[in-house]
Amino acid sequence: MFYERRYGHTDDPWFRIGTFGVSTTVFVLALGVISMIMWAVEGAYGPLFRHLILVSDDLTLRGDPLGSVLEGELWRLLTWPIPNEPDFWTIVLFAIFYMLGSQLERLLGRWRFAFFLLVLTIVPAACVTVLEALFGFEGVAAGLRMVEVGVLVAFAANYAQARFWPGIPGWVIAVVVVGLDAIQAIGSRDEYSLILLTCTVALALFGIRAFGHAADLTWIPKLSFGPRVGGPQAKGSFRRSTTRQTNQTRGSRLGRSQQSREHLRAVPVDETKVTPEIDELLDQVASKGLGSLSARQRKRLEAHSKRLRRQH
């Protein structure tokens, strides 16, 4: 219901499995479900988990080095939200991500929403990696939780008054969730998670504004994420279309004016019946007064009045 077709976006699925459409939201959740299955198959913190998470270069797991982006494993910048530990709260997180993500995908369109998720994944990971190299921050990031926070913030920014159960506004939920995560990171002195959280929230707010939404958040600069509907080409097309419509309108008005002049010439001077022209003049006088008549119109009306008097 939040989808706006005026932006020319499409919320069609990427592909279908039978009659089931696989959207960006569904695809991301499917990767999370597969990761939980692999957790069971290979055991906790198995080889797949170790090679997907985002981690500092000097951390180890059970005595084994994990590897990191700084060691050349650049794919971790993209894959860290995929591995999710199987538990009840992960399922709750998936359900929330599906509900909010589906709404945002309808709003933005599948291409923009996919790009939005990529930005929420890669940019915070790149930022924390750079700061790790500069200041030696240590930490681990894995799972969809942080990306879900970004989706929640973007949703609440655009639909601030949308109600969550039991009637709590969306912006309140977003503030509480972000606030709790920030307090936990500060309390545990986890700079790594705090940087990820700060970057994610900032990108979510700037991103939803850049896509032309969250109009009430005027304090957030409106950046550009590439060509949008209404760019220079669209404006030029609009001007050309408007010019054509204006010319057509002017032509039709000139045609009607010429027809009126020809009609006036064809009216006999001695005609005493109320002609369509006289009828229009009388209506004009009744609605706007005698002052609205031109000199020529007034002469025609006076001539008609004189003819009527001579007849009677």
Side-chain angles (χ1 to χ4, degrees):
M1 63 181 173
F2 298 117
Y3 178 47
E4 302 181 12
R5 292 190 176 275
R6 66 177 177 272
Y7 293 101
H9 302 158
T10 174
D11 59 346
D12 294 335
W14 293 103
F15 58 90
R16 294 184 180 274
I17 301 177
T19 58
F20 182 75
V22 179
S23 62
T24 303
T25 305
V26 172
F27 181 76
V28 171
L29 289 177
L31 292 178
V33 171
I34 292 173
S35 73
M36 291 193 295
I37 296 174
M38 291 304 300
W39 176 285
V41 171
E42 67 178 11
Y45 307 105
L48 181 63
F49 186 96
R50 293 174 179 226
H51 284 85
L52 295 181
I53 62 176
L54 184 67
V55 62
S56 304
D57 64 346
D58 57 351
L59 293 185
T60 61
L61 181 61
R62 297 173 182 173
D64 298 328
L66 293 172
S68 70
V69 175
L70 295 179
E71 294 176 354
E73 298 180 357
L74 299 180
W75 65 83
R76 294 177 183 269
L77 295 173
L78 179 63
T79 61
W80 63 272
I82 296 176
N84 289 268
E85 297 184 20
D87 58 33
F88 174 76
W89 293 112
T90 301
I91 300 301
V92 173
L93 182 151
F94 282 5
I96 296 174
F97 180 82
Y98 177 77
M99 289 186 293
L100 302 184
S102 297
Q103 298 290 357
L104 278 184
E105 187 167 3
R106 293 190 186 99
L107 175 69
L108 301 177
R110 64 186 184 188
W111 282 102
R112 290 189 174 186
F113 184 66
F115 178 71
F116 181 65
L117 293 185
L118 285 176
V119 170
L120 288 180
T121 300
I122 296 175
V123 175
C127 289
V128 76
T129 300
V130 171
L131 293 177
E132 173 196 345
L134 294 176
F135 304 104
F137 292 143
E138 294 182 355
V140 178
L144 199 60
R145 164 67 177 169
M146 197 62 66
V147 177
E148 182 217 15
V149 170
V151 170
L152 171 62
V153 169
F155 181 90
N158 194 59
Y159 306 112
Q161 299 306 318
R163 299 287 172 171
F164 290 75
W165 185 89
I168 303 175
W171 70 271
V172 175
I173 297 293
V175 169
V176 170
V177 170
V178 173
L180 287 176
D181 285 353
I183 290 173
Q184 290 177 355
I186 294 171
S188 59
R189 304 301 186 264
D190 186 359
E191 298 94 345
Y192 203 84
S193 296
L194 187 60
I195 294 169
L196 280 175
L197 177 65
T198 303
C199 290
T200 299
V201 172
L203 286 169
L205 292 175
F206 280 103
I208 197 67
R209 283 283 291 155
F211 286 133
H213 302 286
D216 293 337
L217 302 183
T218 55
W219 52 275
I220 300 176
K222 190 175 181 180
L223 306 179
S224 176
F225 275 175
R228 292 178 292 176
V229 175
Q233 294 180 353
K235 291 179 179 178
S237 176
F238 174 76
R239 292 192 188 101
R240 290 191 295 271
S241 175
T242 304
T243 301
R244 286 195 299 269
Q245 292 176 359
T246 303
N247 291 337
Q248 292 173 359
T249 302
R250 289 176 178 173
S252 62
R253 288 177 178 174
L254 289 174
R256 288 196 298 268
S257 177
Q258 184 177 2
Q259 292 175 359
S260 298
R261 287 195 296 269
E262 293 176 353
H263 171 73
L264 291 177
R265 295 193 191 101
V267 176
V269 177
D270 58 348
E271 184 176 349
T272 57
K273 295 182 179 180
V274 178
T275 63
E277 181 203 2
I278 298 300
D279 193 34
E280 290 178 2
L281 293 177
L282 293 173
D283 289 340
Q284 183 175 339
V285 171
S287 60
K288 299 180 181 180
L290 281 172
S292 64
L293 296 178
S294 65
R296 181 178 177 278
Q297 289 174 330
R298 186 171 298 184
K299 288 181 180 179
R300 294 302 301 268
L301 193 58
E302 290 175 355
H304 178 74
S305 177
K306 290 178 181 178
R307 288 193 296 270
L308 287 179
R309 287 198 296 269
R310 284 198 302 268
Q311 182 184 15
H312 298 285

